[in-house]
Amino acid sequence: MLLSQLPEDLLYYILSYLDYRSLSRLSQVCRSFYRFVNRDAVWKKIAKALLNTGITREGKDIYPLIRLKDRVKFAQNWYSGICRRRIPLRWKTKLLPWLQLDGDTLFLSQAADIKVYHIHKDSGRLQRSPFEVYSGHKGDVCRFVLTDSLLISGGSDGKIVVHSRRSDVPVEFSGHNQEVNCVDAKDGLIISGSRDRTARIWSLTSTAPRDTIPMCDRVWSVAINPTLSSFVTGTACCENFSPLCIWDVERSISLGTLGSDFRRGAGVLDIRFESPFQLFTCGYDTFIRLWDLRLCPRKCAMEWEEPHDSALYCIQTDGNHMIASGSSYYGVVRLWDKRQTECLQFFQLSSDPVSSPVYCLRFNSSHLYAALATAVHSLDFRQNGTQIR
């Protein structure tokens, strides 16, 4: 019996022992093998072990419309740092921009507006001009989040503005008396944190906060647990308290704090839940930390230190092995493999005499976009560094 005549389930099992180079060679044997090896099911085991292939730790596929074979090729470039750098957007005035990715669309805050740019599918470049602009704040937009139907922003005017992505009528929520530093939203629940030392819980049914939680310090970051039962706040750490606190959504009471021995001023600037039990944090103390809520809350499960002692402004994970971080000096973006303690790759994006932090970064399977004070930078990892035919 020929190899190509074996039942498909047995052939899948045999091919699961091959690495990506062997699979690539096998696909060149004949048309029959080419068609079979190009199936996503053949590449899934390999993809799960690599960086940023879109296969999460639970096996969910984030990018089902992109061939897994192509994503495995891109993953080799992420690991090796092979990419093409571009600056698709520039502006003259120094800002504190924030950005979000949604499919082939990039949302970018610039001063009081949030501009929406189309990403060209083939080149990955941004459309020259925004095709939509969201306004409503009297001051700069500090943070914003996207849901399936809404864009929710917090501004230096102390307001939260809720935009429908399908209509032009924004709704203004009032409650904070100083700038809204952070906001998160999931399934109609909105959490905001402010310089006025409060965190506020909102629902879409009222423009007034449902609850106000007094804090001992300025709130820099918030993140809602995927279960919607709790949320975490990160503060400036200027008082003698842990900057990370877990709160019950329904009762608005503290469920405990995370960590100990934070030095004064080690504020938490970004928080990312990766599962209901695990979250990542970063901030002024130069560490990325992984917290497991099932373990002792006083000690993080893992940590990665920024080697040049720079504050970390933002992080994003691929849901599996990769972390990307943005540093406070010279626009440095670092890629980390969670299975290693040392930084995997770094890219210095700012070449100006006065350096800029990476205020925000986002990535998909093939591109990373980073927002600095006067530009958006992109890294394109679809280069021909790895031969997978």
Side-chain angles (χ1 to χ4, degrees):
M1 178 180 288
L2 298 176
L3 184 62
S4 59
Q5 295 174 324
L6 291 174
E8 286 194 355
D9 55 347
L10 183 56
L11 194 53
Y12 278 128
Y13 180 76
I14 293 172
L15 297 188
S16 69
Y17 287 92
L18 301 183
D19 61 16
Y20 70 89
R21 289 187 179 89
S22 300
L23 282 174
S24 300
R25 295 188 187 106
L26 182 62
S27 69
Q28 299 174 55
V29 170
C30 65
R31 291 181 181 179
S32 176
F33 273 124
Y34 178 82
R35 287 192 294 267
F36 189 86
V37 171
N38 274 349
R39 297 181 184 180
D40 281 359
V42 174
W43 294 89
K44 191 166 186 178
K45 181 180 178 181
I46 293 173
K48 194 172 182 181
L50 299 178
L51 301 182
N52 195 32
T53 58
I55 305 298
T56 67
R57 191 169 53 250
E58 293 77 23
K60 180 182 177 182
D61 192 344
I62 302 174
Y63 310 116
L65 300 181
I66 304 172
R67 287 195 317 169
L68 203 48
K69 179 180 176 180
D70 293 336
R71 287 181 268 161
V72 168
K73 177 181 177 180
F74 303 157
Q76 309 303 316
N77 294 335
W78 285 90
Y79 186 86
S80 303
I82 300 170
C83 64
R84 177 179 293 176
R85 305 187 187 196
R86 292 192 179 98
I87 304 178
L89 289 175
R90 293 180 185 267
W91 53 89
K92 294 182 179 180
T93 305
K94 288 188 176 181
L95 302 173
L96 279 71
W98 194 254
L99 59 83
Q100 299 285 358
L101 279 179
D102 184 20
D104 60 355
T105 307
L106 183 140
F107 294 73
L108 174 70
S109 65
Q110 292 177 288
D113 297 327
I114 299 171
K115 299 179 180 180
V116 190
Y117 297 86
H118 178 70
I119 302 172
H120 293 286
K121 183 178 179 181
D122 294 330
S123 66
R125 296 185 180 184
L126 299 184
Q127 187 180 19
R128 205 178 190 93
S129 301
F131 68 84
E132 193 165 2
V133 178
Y134 293 94
S135 303
H137 287 282
K138 297 178 178 65
D140 289 357
V141 174
C142 298
R143 292 287 187 274
F144 68 92
V145 291
L146 301 175
T147 69
D148 290 340
S149 59
L150 301 173
L151 185 155
I152 302 165
S153 58
S156 60
D157 55 3
K159 308 293 185 184
I160 293 172
V161 177
V162 178
H163 298 268
S164 170
R165 294 170 64 180
R166 301 183 179 91
S167 68
D168 298 327
V169 183
V171 179
E172 186 179 284
F173 290 22
S174 300
H176 291 290
N177 53 43
Q178 293 189 51
E179 65 191 55
V180 179
N181 293 319
C182 49
V183 63
D184 197 12
K186 283 182 174 64
D187 293 343
L189 173 67
I190 302 172
I191 307 292
S192 61
S194 171
R195 193 180 183 88
D196 65 8
R197 300 190 174 207
T198 66
R200 298 179 190 248
I201 304 174
W202 314 75
S203 68
L204 295 174
T205 58
S206 172
T207 57
R210 195 192 79 191
D211 281 302
T212 298
I213 302 175
M215 310 288 286
C216 298
D217 214 337
R218 292 162 293 171
V219 185
W220 290 141
S221 52
V222 296
I224 299 173
N225 191 303
T227 64
L228 306 182
S229 61
S230 63
F231 65 94
V232 177
T233 55
T235 62
C237 201
C238 292
E239 306 294 339
N240 294 321
F241 302 97
S242 169
L244 286 167
C245 190
I246 308 171
W247 302 90
D248 184 277
V249 168
E250 290 300 322
R251 296 178 292 167
S252 303
I253 61 172
S254 173
L255 300 176
T257 59
L258 295 174
S260 59
D261 300 325
F262 284 93
R263 68 174 185 257
R264 190 177 180 86
V268 176
L269 297 176
D270 203 3
I271 305 173
R272 296 278 159 186
F273 270 98
E274 197 169 74
S275 75
F277 306 107
Q278 292 187 325
L279 66 147
F280 289 83
T281 63
C282 70
Y284 284 118
D285 70 348
T286 76
F287 281 91
I288 301 169
R289 289 188 171 91
L290 166 63
W291 305 89
D292 193 318
L293 303 183
R294 297 166 295 188
L295 304 178
C296 174
R298 294 182 60 82
K299 185 174 177 59
C300 65
M302 292 185 70
E303 63 183 20
W304 300 264
E305 185 176 11
E306 215 286 339
H308 291 162
D309 201 35
S310 299
L312 295 171
Y313 274 51
C314 52
I315 50 175
Q316 188 184 355
T317 78
D318 67 349
N320 196 9
H321 298 305
M322 193 180 84
I323 308 170
S325 65
S327 302
S328 58
Y329 294 122
Y330 302 108
V332 171
V333 169
R334 294 187 185 273
L335 302 182
W336 309 78
D337 188 330
K338 297 176 191 175
R339 298 162 293 190
Q340 304 176 18
T341 56
E342 301 296 324
C343 169
L344 186 65
Q345 298 292 340
F346 85 97
F347 309 91
Q348 183 178 324
L349 304 181
S350 176
S351 58
D352 299 331
V354 179
S355 69
S356 166
V358 178
Y359 289 109
C360 185
L361 59 80
R362 294 290 182 265
F363 60 77
N364 54 29
S365 65
S366 58
H367 288 76
L368 183 146
Y369 299 90
L372 278 65
T374 58
V376 170
H377 294 249
S378 72
L379 303 177
D380 182 351
F381 290 89
R382 299 175 304 169
Q383 307 308 307
N384 293 322
T386 304
Q387 295 301 318
I388 298 182
R389 296 176 182 243

